[in-house]
Amino acid sequence: FLGWSVDTDGLLGKKSGKNRGTEFDLSLYSSKLGVDIFYRRTGNDYKIHKVTGFSDRVPSNYSEDFNGLKVNMKGFNLYYIFNNRHFSYPAAFSQSTNQRRNAGTLTAGLSVSTHNLKIDYAKLPEIIQETMNPGMKVRHIKYTNISLNFGYAYNWVFARNCLACLSLSPAVAYKTSRIEKDTEEPSDWYKNFNIDFILRAGVVYNNSKYFVGTSFLGRTYDYYRDNFSLNNGFGTLQIYAGFNFYLKKEHRKKK
């Protein structure tokens, strides 16, 4: 699978090129191995929903637009299927095979990604800026995430040609990051271990010729220190329909 997506607002001309979000994905699946290669860049149309530890004048229902944050990330997820003779990821996520019986499997994987977050704290609301100390004036956060994950996946054939898949893989991640503060402040380096999660889910109807379904891939990238924490998560929901137009002879139905 090869995919490229952009913000709909960008297609309608409501955002300039610098403000648009974009995503590039390449997924390759086989019975034993799979790999997801990705690049994501967000726009800068964020909203601040909750503020704690600052001014007492911040109301409980606080909501403020914020266009001072840009995020991009790139990397790959590689995984191995142990029960590859009975369990098929491609049946749920690439529609290249059919699975006729329920089956589950243990999975193992490797993930490597880099994350860049650029923050213009001068665009924060004044009610926040007036109580910020120098250590909060962060301009750039760059961190690398390397993780090993082990999990379980299950394919449920709940009707003829219908399949549902659910997979959850906790990951032990090593993270190294550089935090650039205001020009007068030195950069900080952090290194530690955290727990991340990878979730895959899908439902598909596939009769070998036509297919329709939906799938979800979610990944969390969490970072915790005594004086700094970051929760960064991405989710991709797909709804699709298509047909196989060049079937091998042995896969064609006899008349």
Side-chain angles (χ1 to χ4, degrees):
F1 272 15
L2 178 66
W4 176 52
S5 60
V6 297
D7 281 350
T8 54
D9 285 346
L11 295 176
L12 298 175
K14 296 181 179 180
K15 293 182 180 179
S16 64
K18 294 182 179 180
N19 297 335
R20 297 175 186 172
T22 187
E23 178 179 348
F24 172 83
D25 296 279
L26 174 63
S27 297
L28 303 172
Y29 298 97
S30 69
S31 59
K32 295 182 179 180
L33 295 172
V35 60
D36 300 313
I37 302 172
F38 57 87
Y39 170 81
R40 297 184 178 99
R41 186 189 70 214
T42 68
N44 59 2
D45 54 341
Y46 290 91
K47 185 177 288 293
I48 300 173
H49 289 286
K50 185 178 180 181
V51 177
T52 59
F54 291 91
S55 173
D56 293 335
R57 295 184 289 108
V58 179
S60 58
N61 58 346
Y62 184 83
S63 180
E64 186 79 22
D65 293 333
F66 178 57
N67 62 355
L69 176 63
K70 295 181 180 179
V71 181
N72 71 69
M73 58 183 293
K74 56 186 175 182
F76 68 88
N77 299 319
L78 176 68
Y79 57 86
Y80 178 80
I81 305 299
F82 287 94
N83 187 20
N84 51 74
R85 291 189 176 184
H86 301 95
F87 177 91
S88 174
Y89 253 147
F93 298 104
S94 66
Q95 299 79 49
S96 59
T97 62
N98 281 356
Q99 183 171 321
R100 302 300 185 185
R101 295 183 179 179
N102 301 337
T105 182
L106 293 174
T107 63
L110 169 69
S111 176
V112 178
S113 59
T114 59
H115 307 249
N116 276 280
L117 297 88
K118 294 183 178 180
I119 304 171
D120 186 353
Y121 62 84
K123 294 184 177 181
L124 287 168
E126 293 184 3
I127 198 171
I128 296 177
Q129 290 193 53
E130 63 187 15
T131 53
M132 290 178 66
N133 61 50
M136 296 178 180
K137 296 180 179 180
V138 175
R139 296 188 296 110
H140 185 197
I141 300 172
K142 182 178 181 180
Y143 70 96
T144 300
N145 187 96
I146 303 174
S147 65
L148 294 175
N149 61 80
F150 299 91
Y152 187 80
Y154 191 79
N155 279 350
W156 175 38
V157 182
F158 59 92
R160 180 176 175 82
N161 299 322
C162 295
L163 177 72
C165 176
L166 181 63
S167 170
L168 179 63
S169 301
V172 178
Y174 173 74
K175 306 172 193 287
T176 176
S177 64
R178 183 182 68 183
I179 301 177
E180 297 180 6
K181 299 180 181 179
D182 201 359
T183 54
E184 299 179 356
E185 292 288 327
S187 298
D188 289 335
W189 286 86
Y190 297 107
K191 298 179 181 180
N192 72 337
F193 287 90
N194 284 120
I195 301 296
D196 295 337
F197 292 92
I198 304 173
L199 173 67
R200 293 182 177 92
V203 179
V204 60
Y205 170 82
N206 187 355
N207 65 2
S208 297
K209 186 175 182 180
Y210 301 100
F211 57 85
V212 60
T214 182
S215 64
F216 176 80
L217 172 60
R219 177 70 193 258
T220 63
Y221 303 90
D222 296 332
Y223 192 94
Y224 294 100
R225 296 282 292 184
D226 292 338
N227 59 344
F228 173 76
S229 64
L230 176 69
N231 303 99
N232 193 15
F234 282 88
T236 301
L237 176 65
Q238 297 176 329
I239 301 174
Y240 55 85
F243 66 94
N244 296 308
F245 55 86
Y246 185 71
L247 300 176
K248 294 181 179 180
K249 291 183 179 181
E250 60 267 30
H251 290 170
R252 290 176 180 164
K253 294 181 179 180
K254 296 181 180 180
K255 295 183 180 179

